[in-house]
Amino acid sequence: MNVYTEALLTPEPWTRQALCAQVGGDFWFPEPSESTMPARAICARCPVVAECLAYAMENRIMDGFWGNTSPKQRAKLRRTA
């Protein structure tokens, strides 16, 4: 089972407050040519953005927009941590 399947089957308690779960949308996994602004705008208002980023970092999630960061930004955070 991968981290995405596991997250769907046993969601973390903080995910009930996550704004992304309430709006859905393809902008959480933008193509390289697509803007990340829709995802960033939602994350900027999300009460659990810190928990989301911590989850993505702990689980080494390499794709998608998590905790107001892109995969490239999370890779940079990992290198500097």
Side-chain angles (χ1 to χ4, degrees), residues 38-78:
R40 288 189 187 284
I42 293 168
C43 284
R45 300 186 329 264
C46 187
V48 293
V49 70
E51 291 89 338
C52 182
L53 176 56
Y55 181 83
M57 296 296 286
E58 289 168 11
N59 291 284
R60 301 191 60 77
I61 297 175
M62 302 304 288
D63 53 344
F65 205 81
W66 290 76
N68 211 10
T69 62
S70 67
K72 192 175 193 177
Q73 290 170 313
R74 287 192 304 279
K76 185 176 180 179
L77 288 171
R78 273 190 213 84

Side-chain angles (χ1 to χ4, degrees), residues 1-54:
M1 180 178 330
N2 67 36
V3 69
Y4 303 110
T5 305
E6 186 176 327
L8 291 172
L9 296 176
T10 55
E12 296 289 322
W14 57 264
T15 61
R16 288 189 288 275
Q17 299 173 349
L19 294 181
C20 61
Q22 298 171 25
V23 298
D26 291 337
F27 44 79
W28 302 113
F29 296 90
E31 296 295 324
S33 62
E34 294 178 326
S35 173
T36 61
M37 293 310 293
R40 288 189 187 284
I42 293 168
C43 284
R45 300 186 329 264
C46 187
V48 293
V49 70
E51 291 89 338
C52 182
L53 176 56

